[in-house]
Every structure is written in C-alpha cells, then in structure tokens.
C-alpha cells in the first residue's frame, strides 16, 4: 500500500459500504492467512465493480483468485447473462473462494479453474471484455501476452500491484518480483498495441486498452 493506513481508512469510510458477504470473506481471509494483504480491499473491489459496469463487460477473466474477494466484487456488477472465469493455483485459497462463491447471490456467474493459470489460459477461448491480472508477479509479462489476443476489441485489462508499495521507484529493491514488475510496466508503456493509464489506487492498478 502506498498511502497511510489512516488515509486508506478515510477512503473506505467515504465509499459505499462493503456488502455483508464480502465483509464475511474478508474477515475469514484475515483469520486464515498472514498473506491477507494479497486480498483487494473494499475500495479496490468497488473500483473493479465500477469498471465492469462502465465497460459493459459480460465476459470476465481473472488471473489470481486468492480467496475470491475480487471475483465476487466483479460478479456483483455483471448483467444477468454475464460470467467470470477465475484462475487459482493454491487449493486452500480456492476452497475458501468456492465456499464463499456458493454462499453468495452470484454463484452461478463464477467459474473457478484450479491449476497453473498459463495452462488454463491456453485452453480458454476469447473474447473477454475485461481481464484482471493479480497473480505471481514474475509471470505478469506472460499473462499479459497470453490474454491480449483473447481480449475483445473494446476490452480492458486491469493489472494490480504495479507500484509494489512504491518500491518500483529507484534501484533499491532488486528482488525478483520488483524487477519483474518494472519490466512489465516498461513493456506495457512501450507496447504500440495498447494505451495504458497507471492509477495510484491501493498498490497501483494499470488500466490497459487496445489501440483502435
């Protein structure tokens, strides 16, 4: 996160309230794992839902389910004939997600695929109206190249954690993840096939659209 906890809470307090089923999922995730920071929060969840509504997306692809908060946020914004396919490699995370999907009003819209996302992507046919990438950072470039040909001409790709808590700025963090995100950010900026906008929402979200 790149803002103070106090400012983050202020944004939560001045956005629409978190639905009960998402609050329950967030509570269980925080109790289940120390990695709960991987979960998108209520503000980013509402941003994802808003992007679904504004784009008119009917077919969504998510890479990186974690415990399902982002998928449930987006599913709530889909029209009645919409669907989301979400990919997760960790069976424990997938089990929590499936249970909360089934208990939500949106279970029929969500298809969770367990396994390596690149394998899942190879078997999926497009086009997708919206893609959300929020998985292992070292594969961001591979995910991007795999989904871009499957994106609808008016589709949107959203990529999370592109600011990596601010550590993408400067050379101090030479970790594999930080280096991968820097390479990805540069690649998207310089890709003539797309136009992009990096936003400072939570840990950074880049919005990508094909050039038309």
């Amino acid at each position: 996160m790149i803002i103070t906890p106090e400012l983050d809470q202020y944004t939560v307090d001045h956005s629409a309230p978190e639905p009960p089923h998402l609050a329950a999922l967030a509570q269980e995730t925080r109790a289940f794992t120390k990695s709960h920071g991987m979960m998108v929060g209520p503000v980013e969840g509402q941003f994802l839902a808003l992007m679904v509504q504004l784009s008119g997306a009917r077919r969504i692809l998510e890479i990186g389910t974690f415990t399902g908060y982002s998928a449930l946020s987006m599913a709530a914004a889909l029209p009645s004939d919409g669907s989301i396919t979400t990919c997760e490699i960790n069976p424990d995370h997938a089990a929590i997600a499936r249970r909360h999907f089934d208990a939500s009003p949106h279970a029929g819209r969500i298809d969770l695929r367990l396994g390596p996302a690149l394998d899942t992507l190879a078997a999926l046919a497009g086009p997708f109206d919206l893609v959300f990438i929020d998985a292992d950072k070292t594969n961001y470039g591979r995910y991007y190249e795999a989904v871009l040909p499957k994106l609808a001409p008016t589709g949107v790709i959203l990529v999370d954690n592109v600011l990596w808590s601010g550590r993408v700025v400067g050379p101090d963090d030479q970790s594999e993840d930080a280096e991968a995100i820097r390479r990805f950010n540069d690649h998207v900026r310089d890709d003539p096939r797309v136009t992009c906008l990096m936003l400072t929402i939570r840990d950074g979200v880049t919005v990508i659209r094909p050039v038309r």
Side-chain angles (χ1 to χ4, degrees):
M1 187 180 297
I2 56 173
I3 61 175
T4 65
E6 294 79 12
L7 189 55
D8 180 62
Q9 188 59 51
Y10 187 86
T11 65
V12 172
D13 293 342
H14 291 80
S15 300
E18 187 177 43
H21 66 277
L22 287 178
L25 172 56
Q27 182 177 12
E28 179 173 346
T29 302
R30 285 190 288 266
F32 171 75
T33 175
K34 293 180 180 178
S35 300
H36 55 78
M38 293 166 56
M39 177 178 59
V40 304
V43 172
E44 188 175 356
Q46 290 192 51
F47 169 74
L48 293 173
L50 183 62
M51 289 299 295
V52 173
Q53 292 174 325
L54 291 178
S55 67
R58 280 180 163 76
R59 196 161 182 240
I60 298 174
L61 172 63
E62 176 181 58
I63 303 172
T65 314
F66 191 41
T67 57
Y69 195 106
S70 50
L72 275 176
S73 297
M74 291 186 286
L78 280 168
S80 58
D81 61 344
S83 66
I84 175 169
T85 300
T86 181
C87 308
E88 177 57 43
I89 196 170
N90 186 310
D92 294 329
H93 296 162
I96 295 175
R98 279 199 173 105
R99 183 156 40 78
H100 283 270
F101 292 165
D102 291 343
S104 79
H106 316 297
R109 300 176 180 176
I110 307 174
D111 176 18
L112 193 157
R113 306 286 184 96
L114 183 62
L118 288 171
D119 293 345
T120 302
L121 292 176
L124 291 175
F128 290 97
D129 303 308
L130 188 147
V131 177
F132 180 48
I133 301 175
D134 185 17
D136 53 306
K137 311 312 169 191
T138 54
N139 274 318
Y140 264 25
R142 295 183 182 92
Y143 296 143
Y144 171 73
E145 292 298 336
V147 301
L148 191 56
K150 300 176 188 287
L151 190 67
T154 57
V156 179
I157 301 174
L158 305 174
V159 187
D160 202 14
N161 303 119
V162 292
L163 293 177
W164 206 233
S165 298
R167 297 195 299 274
V168 291
V169 179
D172 293 344
D173 188 344
Q174 295 294 316
S175 67
E176 190 176 10
D177 284 339
E179 286 291 287
I181 293 173
R182 289 189 190 103
R183 287 194 302 271
F184 172 77
N185 290 342
D186 290 347
H187 176 61
V188 171
R189 178 198 61 195
D190 298 335
D191 189 347
R193 299 170 295 176
V194 302
T195 182
C196 65
L197 174 65
M198 185 179 287
L199 303 174
T200 54
I201 295 172
R202 204 162 185 258
D203 196 27
V205 178
T206 294
V207 181
I208 304 166
R209 298 202 72 176
V211 171
R212 291 184 286 163

